[in-house]
Amino acid sequence: METSLRGKYAIAGIGETEYSRGSGRTTRAMGAMAIRRAMDDAGLNSQDVDGMLSYHGGDSTPSTSIMYDLGLRPNFYMDCSGGGSSTEALIGLAMGAIEAGMCDTVAIFRSMNGYSSIRIGGTGARAASGISGLDLMKRPYGLISAVQNFAFNFTKHMSEYGVKSEDLAHIKVAHSNHASNNPKALMKQRVTVQDVMDSRWIIRPVAHLLDCCLETDNATCVIVTSAERAKDLRQKPVYVLGVQGRGTKPGGDFHVQHGNLGRVAGHYVGPRIFELAGVKHEDIDVTGCYDAFTYTVLLQFEAYGWCKPGEGKDYVTSGVINLGGKRPNNTSGGHLCEAYTHGMNMVIENVRQLRGTVDDYCPNAAAGEHNYDYSEGGCRQVKDAETSMNMGWGTPAVGSALIMRR
Amino acid sequence: MAVYEYRGQRLDIPDNDSEYRGYFEAAGEHRLVVKKCRACGLLRGEPGPGCPWCPSLEWDWQEVSGKGTIYSYQIVAHTVIPAFRDMAPFAIVLVELDEQAGQPTADDGLRITANLVDGDLKPEKEENVAIGNRVEVIFDDEPDGISIPQFKLSGEPPKGETWQHSV
Ligand SMILES: [Zn+2]
């Protein structure tokens, strides 16, 4: 496998709007703000950013509008269709565009009024449309939302390995503890396993309300450039050791007909990302495992080999994924508690972790001063975090991964 | 273009819909059909133009028995679709049809999605929803001419050990 790009590219800037349930603004206004903040973070001006990439589900504003708002004149841009697991893959595409000589520095953004305008579950602006094509096999039966689209996989997995709702609840508890130390998080309230179990059922047996992510209005941005260029910019570069995706499992949209239902795309992405990055599981200090629902986290931990199939329940209840544990997951609170962004906030969080400047409640966090007291309203910086891994989820059949090092 | 309504939702099945039109035409005659590859002979549950197991794009509709086993399921306790709210909780099942279970590899099968209903097409009771339970197709005929394949318990003994969640 060609690995000559290992460490040759870096994340130079990160930016985000506030996470809200009522932005009162367009995706254009939010996208421009997230990119502007990432440019300011990196110390880049309009002449310096000559590439743009975005992903959307028919719910964003094209790069060609936002480039105007920012005075950019890209030599390369592309707006791609996609949701979860796109961030990681687009970082790879940005590297490829730069490597090909098409541009030097790429701003990747995602902008969505995911709560106030177009909601993932098909309500809001999408509800009025007719049903055709693949949806004819689903929506007449009441199968419409993301939690349902993936549910057959996890019910089957529960039946094979004896996973219980309580096991999943531990994931929400960990992420809520992390979010309590994140001033930006939509849901900062710490919850208990019992709170999750007492929240109303959405889909039995896979998801209570508190097993589901938070639909959110927001825009996010990461800026990719060469390691050489990044070294001259405002922030410590965070280097890309490897990126892989969007990779698939057999069967694509019809994966429930083919193969092992509990085996998700990470099973195929995992071996490639570790080889590309040249690291092993034990080298990773912090993970960003996509938490559309608590069960997506568990399935991916198994698929990527953090534990054996069927042992995900032990991995997530062991304390490993908690701040202060061996390998904390989604230290911002992730999609369950910080905000639903289709994955970009999890990459942004890991960039901050590797810089050592996580924006928690430590008074001098921006200067990298942390007390590592993870009690409520305190610190969420992982001590000496050197290497991170993101595991993006699109569907059970689609995933991407990214390994970064400080 | 044929436009139908089912449970308050509009179904669009255009004349050029080479994937789904034949499926619903057969359902209107109370036949459950799947696509059969002309080259390798394997069936596929989801109507699509290509065979996932060989290079062929040639196929024919093939009627199947409509008998199968619940392979996985979900109980919808909360739904965002207005017309379904009065139905909840209701089951959506992934049915593995008898014709091609465990083929062409042990993990594969001919699986399709539907609701688990009783003989009156009302949602089956949750306590009767279990992986391993045997089911058979039943057709839900609508006044505007469309017919939707659904599944009901067949009363046969379950296939292997059953599994259901505890609440
Ligand atoms: Zn074939």
Side-chain angles (χ1 to χ4, degrees), chain A residues 153-185:
Chain A
N153 298 72
F154 201 68
T155 303
K156 189 70 176 174
H157 191 72
M158 292 174 86
S159 77
E160 287 174 344
Y161 294 110
V163 187
K164 296 195 159 45
S165 301
E166 291 90 323
D167 300 324
L168 294 174
H170 280 83
I171 298 167
K172 173 71 174 190
V173 170
H175 294 188
S176 80
N177 289 347
H178 301 168
S180 77
N181 296 357
N182 178 359
K184 301 164 301 179

Side-chain angles (χ1 to χ4, degrees), chain B residues 59-105:
Chain B
W59 54 272
D60 298 294
W61 290 113
Q62 168 77 45
E63 186 171 350
V64 291
S65 66
K67 284 184 164 284
T69 305
I70 298 177
Y71 190 79
S72 188
Y73 69 83
Q74 54 183 290
I75 307 293
V76 181
H78 171 81
T79 175
V80 294
I81 309 173
F84 282 71
R85 286 200 181 122
D86 290 342
M87 276 173 59
F90 62 93
I92 309 175
V93 287
L94 181 65
V95 173
E96 183 158 277
L97 298 173
D98 288 349
E99 277 77 5
Q100 203 168 275
Q103 296 175 56
T105 78

